[in-house]
Amino acid sequence: MTSLTPKPSQIESWDRLPSDWQNDERMDALFSFFKDRDLNAVHYDAKMKFWSETIIDYCEDHGLLQIDMPTIVSRFRRKGRTPKCLDKIFEELTKQNRLISTNDYANSQQSWSSWTFNKLASPLTGWMSPRTPIDQEVFIIKELVDKKAQQVIDTLQSNVYVPTFDCVVSFSTFIDTCRRCTLIDENSINLIISTLTKDKKILIDHIGDAKDVKVVKFIMPGTSIVRPLTEIETSVLLLRHSKQRLEEQLKKTDQQIEGLLADIYRHLKNSNRTAAKKLLRKKKLLELEHDKKENMIEHLNSVLTQIEQTDCSSLIINAYSSGVQAHKELLRKNGLTPDAVEDMIDEVHEMLDTQNEIDEALRRPVTNDTTDMTELEDELEELLKQPIPPTPATSLPINVDIINTPIADDVIKPPETDPFADLELRLQKLGVQEPEHVWLVKFPHKDNYLLHIQKSFPLIDLLQHDYDQSSYVFLIPNNYLSDFTHFIHRLHGSYRIITNNPEKTWKKSQRRSKRWVPSDNPLDQTYYQHFLSYDEQQDWYNLLKTSLLTKKFIRSYTIGHTYENRTLTIIKILGHSHRRHQQRKYAIYIDGGMHAREWLSIGVANYILIQFLKLRKTNVKVREILYNFDIYMLPLMNPDGYEFSRHENRLWRKNRSPTTHSDFWNGDQSCYGIDLNRNFPYEWNNTIGASDHACSHSYRGPSPASENEVISVVTFLRQQQLSNQKFYAYFNLHAYGRFWLLPWTYSLSKKVSNYDELFNRSSKVVSSVMKKTYRVGQASRLLYPCTGTSIDFAATLMPHAMTFELSPMFKGLPMCFDQNKTLDDTCTVGFLTDPKEIEIDGTEIFNAIVEYMYSIIRDRCL
Ligand SMILES: [Zn+2]
């Protein structure tokens, strides 16, 4: 019997081998022929259940979607014996429709005309005979096929950003996706294609003039059946396809040019001017062609970006062009006139024209007539004047070659100073002030792209990333745009512009709708239902200190001042006095607002403060915690940055102290500020994930704890550790991503000594109060390694230190900047949280902290 699977595997090494397998007596019974069910129905059913589950689990774990009896019999060989009862098992599974004979299955797949898998199936099968004996039949395992098919759809859908046209992929992309879902052999892939087609989850089509581009359309997320290809999908797909082909051609041309240049130098070295000139002419032509293609790609990119940004209008175009009556309804809803629709239809046609132009260009051979011979002569002269680079000797290592090559004087002479070089640099630097772009970038593989990016483009700010999806959202200064585009293309990534003027959009979207009226009650919900300004926050602290409701239970401390002279205020929530605890031995430290744009973390800190005060007596767990701990809170660690993000730049992250670069760069705002969470004095020197470029959004500062905010906190925490009351736990609030991060941050390989305890305790809390929706793990692994962070510093002082990255969860989606746009599943709010979120996230985090600290008390870990 030819096995359907490529490799047999030892049953004994199977992870999920049932424990009964070691029990001889039990296995003897399970291996024997079935007796009549009437004799002992319980035994009969248990045996049936054992084999059905074991066989299907085995197939799932070994990637088998099809089975035949002889293969299974031989796989389950035990001590020289094979099971004798499998015919009955196969019969029963067939009866239950869990196994379907390939014959029947193929016959049911009539919609799939080029169905090939039956030809590939077992050579033993007598396909034409109506009844094949069960031991010669090949079966499909229905539930595993369905599961795999769903996995393929899920994977495809996870890459959908704009449902209007992202639900179509090239056939090769589809096959790649199947392979990523561990569908290895052609047979299995065909089986999945057939199933998905039959269930109307995908359809396969051919597009292009010559119908030579094979594509797969899959169901849009949230719908039940796949719809036919639309005009806009076809157009976008063809444009994308052309872009890909152009890029491939461009790469080839690049290599050719490089090869020619090497040959030209070789000829020049040998004084063969004529040959060099001939090649130069060829190179010139290639370069012309290269430029044309590059322009075309550029053009295509802008067309595609435009189309992707007019997503909602494309819905209307679709309705219109497919002649659906519903378009009238859409028109009415969107307040559009028929004229506006006409414009859109024109756009589609323009798009199709672009496509034709590009097709034409792709077909055109390299032309021969445009080179100007004098230009050529000039270039040759230029080349001759330049020193000829040494041709590396193939047999020698390259450094030996360099040592042995005499260096011409003019090579080491410094280049003449270009009077404009400085100007250019200044202009480039000033460019940072221009509106920045926000891009969603996707790379095809999982790789450490951040390290490259940080090195080559220090001013690019990472707003969020998803390592598993290899997708990133970046804030990119204008002067990087073209270089960064090349960088992305070189790594075969793709990008989409989310906005090219974020300032304008978020200023509009973040305006507070109603004037805020403070309450006399410091515990009133109004203090956590809005994002308070720094001044409002300070007024609230004063109210907490003076109100009869709260003043007995809190203390406040000014621990320092910021560069712009704002006060850093810590509020201490006093624990309960208790006979057994004359003085509480331990304290908890919680902070928020370390990164200016992460407003939610400030709101949540305020919420937590209020909840501890409100529930101090009434809630059993809170009361118990306050018997054991005092709580110190710094809800707003970076007030300068926060105010700047409220008035000037919503996505500001650092503080606002000037750097060595700020004066020289003459008002360039990007070169102000230090990333406080890279400035803490632990492993600061080790600059992984922290920048020493003053203009970077993750600039670590000139020296450890150079910043007022950081040195104030560091001094406060250190002094406290020397007192009678020590800090026991630190909760550090950030946004966003829904991560529960544990130290160390600075190293991928090193773990804090009590890591396992931290991990287990946190995971339990996540399962019990956070519906398992937070990801727990080491910060350097879940996000990325970086140095000089506050939790790393805190972990040197106390046993429990952790960071919460609050909501929303990052799903590889861009931020929705425009509040007028209906929030749908094509974008995320990111940092631009609605104040309503404070209470929702606050409740979750408050409960998590309470649960965590309570579990420590309960386990008597103190
Ligand atoms: Zn942060």
Side-chain angles (χ1 to χ4, degrees):
M1 176 79 205
T2 310
S3 156
L4 286 169
T5 47
K7 279 176 226 149
S9 70
Q10 285 296 319
I11 188 82
E12 299 288 343
S13 63
W14 177 35
D15 284 354
R16 284 204 281 169
L17 186 67
S19 51
D20 282 345
W21 192 262
Q22 309 307 338
N23 180 336
D24 286 345
E25 201 182 324
R26 176 111 177 90
M27 287 319 288
D28 280 349
L30 285 166
F31 264 53
S32 61
F33 289 104
F34 267 102
K35 296 194 181 89
D36 201 336
R37 186 168 183 278
D38 294 342
L39 292 174
N40 188 337
V42 176
H43 277 186
Y44 186 98
D45 293 346
K47 187 165 169 175
M48 190 61 83
K49 187 163 178 275
F50 172 89
W51 280 111
S52 314
E53 278 172 9
T54 307
I55 290 171
I56 290 186
D57 286 351
Y58 177 87
C59 290
E60 179 167 26
D61 290 355
H62 292 80
L64 303 176
L65 300 180
Q66 283 170 273
I67 48 170
D68 55 79
M69 227 176 81
T71 307
I72 294 300
V73 166
S74 70
R75 291 293 172 88
F76 284 89
R77 182 178 289 277
R78 181 182 182 278
K79 299 192 174 173
R81 288 183 59 199
T82 51
K84 301 284 181 245
C85 54
L86 293 193
D87 50 344
K88 279 271 186 280
I89 308 286
F90 271 60
E91 252 175 58
E92 181 59 30
L93 286 172
T94 314
K95 224 185 277 166
Q96 292 171 6
N97 256 341
R98 295 173 75 185
L99 292 186
I100 300 172
S101 88
T102 29
N103 213 0
D104 294 344
Y105 200 74
N107 288 337
S108 70
Q109 309 292 319
Q110 282 155 0
S111 58
W112 177 238
S113 54
S114 45
W115 166 244
T116 52
F117 105 100
N118 52 11
K119 282 178 250 150
L120 298 163
S122 167
L124 246 201
T125 48
W127 288 105
M128 305 321 287
S129 70
R131 274 283 152 252
T132 314
I134 201 155
D135 63 344
Q136 289 175 24
E137 182 76 271
V138 179
F139 295 92
I140 308 289
I141 310 162
K142 182 78 170 49
E143 62 207 72
L144 296 187
V145 170
D146 288 347
K147 208 167 169 181
K148 217 22 128 182
Q150 189 54 45
Q151 193 190 346
V152 170
I153 290 292
D154 289 344
T155 312
L156 287 168
Q157 288 184 342
S158 71
N159 285 314
V160 170
Y161 296 117
V162 187
T164 322
F165 41 74
D166 280 351
C167 294
V168 191
V169 292
S170 69
F171 190 72
S172 62
T173 305
F174 178 81
I175 298 294
D176 283 348
T177 310
C178 290
R179 292 199 200 286
R180 270 197 286 147
C181 296
T182 61
L183 286 163
I184 300 145
D185 57 308
E186 197 185 338
N187 216 16
S188 305
I189 292 177
N190 278 329
L191 193 51
I192 294 302
I193 292 179
S194 154
T195 304
L196 286 173
T197 311
K198 179 175 159 256
D199 294 347
K200 297 200 167 50
K201 298 269 173 66
I202 61 167
L203 62 86
I204 297 178
D205 209 337
H206 291 81
I207 59 169
D209 279 350
K211 297 274 172 217
D212 55 348
V213 184
K214 192 171 178 184
V215 297
V216 178
K217 179 166 182 188
F218 53 92
I219 48 167
M220 209 181 265
T223 60
S224 55
I225 59 165
V226 64
R227 309 228 167 260
L229 271 174
T230 62
E231 190 176 356
I232 188 140
E233 278 173 335
T234 314
S235 311
V236 170
L237 208 71
L238 284 174
L239 288 176
R240 285 176 175 170
H241 183 69
S242 305
K243 193 180 123 191
Q244 199 185 338
R245 276 167 67 203
L246 275 170
E247 280 166 352
E248 281 159 15
Q249 290 188 358
L250 202 63
K251 221 191 295 166
K252 231 182 261 166
T253 319
D254 269 340
Q255 287 164 351
Q256 283 171 328
I257 292 174
E258 244 166 68
L260 279 173
L261 198 62
D263 287 345
I264 292 169
Y265 277 128
R266 196 165 41 82
H267 286 309
L268 288 178
K269 212 174 179 182
N270 300 333
S271 308
N272 191 348
R273 222 182 125 95
T274 330
K277 207 158 138 187
K278 210 170 144 194
L279 292 185
L280 194 63
R281 188 182 151 82
K282 216 168 157 186
K283 176 174 151 277
K284 195 89 194 166
L285 287 171
L286 276 176
E287 278 168 351
L288 277 173
E289 201 58 28
H290 182 275
D291 288 352
K292 257 191 235 158
K293 283 188 180 141
E294 210 168 37
N295 283 340
M296 236 180 283
I297 293 177
E298 202 82 341
H299 179 51
L300 262 178
N301 269 335
S302 72
V303 173
L304 278 168
T305 310
Q306 235 177 331
I307 298 169
E308 284 163 6
Q309 281 176 342
T310 51
D311 174 32
C312 88
S313 51
S314 56
L315 277 174
I316 299 163
I317 298 169
N318 276 342
Y320 189 93
S321 54
S322 54
V324 177
Q325 273 304 309
H327 81 274
K328 281 184 190 154
E329 184 60 16
L330 271 166
L331 282 184
R332 198 181 51 73
K333 266 195 204 153
N334 289 280
L336 285 171
T337 61
D339 276 353
V341 175
E342 285 303 325
D343 285 349
M344 280 176 214
I345 299 300
D346 283 349
E347 265 175 44
V348 174
H349 286 147
E350 240 170 72
M351 208 160 76
L352 292 173
D353 285 347
T354 310
Q355 179 62 45
N356 289 339
E357 257 171 57
I358 288 159
D359 279 346
E360 178 100 339
L362 276 166
R363 277 193 293 267
R364 213 169 29 225
V366 176
T367 43
N368 273 310
D369 46 16
T370 43
T371 19
D372 177 350
M373 285 317 281
T374 41
E375 222 178 87
L376 259 183
E377 283 293 338
D378 288 349
E379 192 175 340
L380 198 61
E381 287 306 318
E382 275 298 308
L383 274 176
L384 279 169
K385 267 189 258 160
Q386 284 171 20
I388 296 167
T391 0
T394 42
S395 59
L396 287 172
I398 204 115
N399 51 349
V400 178
D401 196 45
I402 290 167
I403 294 163
N404 291 343
T405 314
I407 301 167
D409 273 355
D410 51 354
V411 182
I412 45 172
K413 224 194 289 168
E416 259 180 68
T417 11
D418 173 0
F420 295 107
D422 185 41
L423 181 75
E424 175 100 16
L425 193 70
R426 275 161 180 277
L427 282 176
Q428 204 182 34
K429 285 167 185 170
L430 280 175
V432 183
Q433 268 192 320
E434 289 174 29
E436 296 170 302
H437 280 214
V438 178
W439 286 8
L440 173 70
V441 179
K442 271 186 87 75
F443 293 111
H445 310 288
K446 286 189 199 176
D447 202 348
N448 201 347
Y449 298 103
L450 289 178
L451 235 120
H452 296 285
I453 293 171
Q454 200 193 349
K455 230 186 253 164
S456 320
F457 306 96
L459 305 196
I460 283 186
D461 186 11
L462 173 71
L463 297 186
Q464 194 47 275
H465 84 287
D466 182 335
Y467 180 75
D468 289 335
Q469 296 281 331
S470 209
S471 70
Y472 303 79
V473 178
F474 293 114
L475 186 64
I476 306 156
N478 264 359
N479 53 335
Y480 275 177
L481 294 180
S482 92
D483 284 354
F484 195 55
T485 315
H486 281 132
F487 175 84
I488 296 171
H489 286 299
R490 221 173 47 236
L491 295 172
H492 306 291
S494 58
Y495 70 94
R496 193 143 69 76
I497 301 173
I498 305 311
T499 168
N500 51 17
N501 193 356
E503 273 312 84
K504 212 174 100 192
T505 29
W506 64 61
K507 266 194 180 154
K508 197 174 63 186
S509 67
Q510 290 296 314
R511 219 166 277 153
R512 203 188 273 177
S513 49
K514 275 178 270 167
R515 222 178 73 81
W516 178 65
V517 188
S519 159
D520 290 342
N521 175 357
L523 304 183
D524 189 272
Q525 54 190 16
T526 194
Y527 292 103
Y528 57 74
Q529 283 179 340
H530 301 91
F531 292 118
L532 306 186
S533 71
Y534 164 78
D535 287 336
E536 289 160 354
Q537 184 89 11
Q538 291 304 117
D539 289 346
W540 176 52
Y541 294 154
N542 283 331
L543 184 64
L544 281 165
K545 279 194 289 184
T546 51
S547 162
L548 286 173
L549 272 173
T550 47
K551 69 176 190 182
K552 275 200 286 181
F553 312 120
I554 66 140
R555 297 283 177 274
S556 91
Y557 306 90
T558 297
I559 59 161
H561 289 89
T562 62
Y563 177 77
E564 289 173 355
N565 206 27
R566 293 192 177 90
T567 310
L568 295 168
T569 309
I570 282 190
I571 300 289
K572 175 181 179 184
I573 303 167
L574 298 171
H576 295 297
S577 52
H578 188 285
R579 254 178 293 145
R580 279 180 295 145
H581 306 276
Q582 284 305 317
Q583 189 185 11
R584 281 161 299 277
K585 271 165 67 188
Y586 296 111
I588 300 168
Y589 178 61
I590 303 173
D591 68 2
M594 190 184 291
H595 286 141
R597 62 194 174 201
E598 298 166 13
W599 294 6
L600 184 61
S601 69
I602 306 163
V604 165
N606 290 349
Y607 178 85
I608 292 171
L609 210 170
I610 290 177
Q611 288 310 105
F612 268 118
L613 287 170
K614 261 190 183 167
L615 303 177
R616 59 192 299 283
K617 281 221 170 113
T618 50
N619 180 299
V620 182
K621 290 178 183 174
V622 171
R623 202 169 57 208
E624 196 58 35
I625 289 168
L626 289 174
Y627 272 129
N628 290 276
F629 301 97
D630 286 330
I631 301 170
Y632 292 81
M633 296 202 60
L634 174 59
L636 178 51
M637 181 177 172
N638 178 10
D640 291 355
Y642 176 58
E643 283 301 304
F644 190 72
S645 80
R646 288 176 67 91
H647 300 290
E648 301 293 332
N649 182 346
R650 178 64 184 86
L651 290 193
W652 189 257
R653 170 181 164 96
K654 302 188 281 183
N655 73 356
R656 291 295 300 160
S657 56
T659 66
T660 45
H661 282 61
S662 333
D663 293 338
F664 173 75
W665 289 42
N666 202 11
D668 179 347
Q669 298 174 340
S670 292
C671 299
Y672 277 85
I674 280 94
D675 183 343
L676 300 181
N677 210 21
R678 303 289 181 273
N679 190 243
F680 276 79
Y682 185 68
E683 292 288 335
W684 179 90
N685 274 326
N686 195 350
T687 46
I688 310 161
S691 177
D692 45 19
H693 194 301
C695 305
S696 160
H697 294 261
S698 53
Y699 177 43
R700 62 174 176 157
S703 58
S706 61
E707 297 316 290
N708 289 354
E709 296 86 345
V710 174
I711 192 67
S712 304
V713 168
V714 164
T715 312
F716 175 74
L717 293 179
R718 276 186 180 150
Q719 275 172 358
Q720 195 70 20
Q721 291 313 88
L722 298 174
S723 74
N724 286 332
Q725 186 182 44
K726 298 196 179 358
F727 277 114
Y728 196 79
Y730 167 43
F731 299 98
N732 171 229
L733 306 177
H734 287 257
Y736 61 107
R738 294 181 74 81
F739 292 108
W740 184 320
L741 305 174
L742 304 171
W744 301 112
T745 314
Y746 78 92
S747 167
L748 278 168
S749 52
K750 289 181 199 148
K751 280 186 172 148
V752 279
S753 55
N754 62 340
Y755 181 84
D756 291 343
E757 193 219 322
L758 295 182
F759 180 82
N760 292 335
R761 202 176 284 285
S762 313
S763 303
K764 269 185 208 154
V765 174
V766 167
S767 330
S768 62
V769 303
M770 292 162 136
K771 299 183 199 119
K772 301 185 187 168
T773 56
Y774 261 71
R775 284 174 70 189
V776 184
Q778 187 163 349
S780 54
R781 290 177 170 272
L782 277 190
L783 285 185
Y784 39 79
C786 53
T787 51
T789 66
S790 69
I791 57 165
D792 280 6
F793 171 74
T796 65
L797 300 180
M798 54 188 106
H800 300 260
M802 56 213 70
T803 295
F804 293 114
E805 291 282 354
L806 306 173
S807 291
M809 184 168 281
F810 183 63
K811 292 183 191 143
L813 294 176
M815 270 189 271
C816 321
F817 281 100
D818 196 346
Q819 243 186 4
N820 297 332
K821 196 178 154 187
T822 1
L823 286 187
D824 51 24
D825 44 15
T826 60
C827 62
T828 174
V829 289
F831 297 108
L832 314 180
T833 337
D834 192 288
K836 282 191 202 108
E837 195 63 37
I838 301 172
E839 189 169 352
I840 302 169
D841 259 54
T843 309
E844 194 175 33
I845 296 296
F846 175 73
N847 289 338
I849 292 177
V850 166
E851 207 54 44
Y852 190 93
M853 292 315 298
Y854 185 71
S855 79
I856 289 178
I857 298 168
R858 194 190 50 215
D859 298 349
R860 298 181 201 287
C861 293
L862 290 173

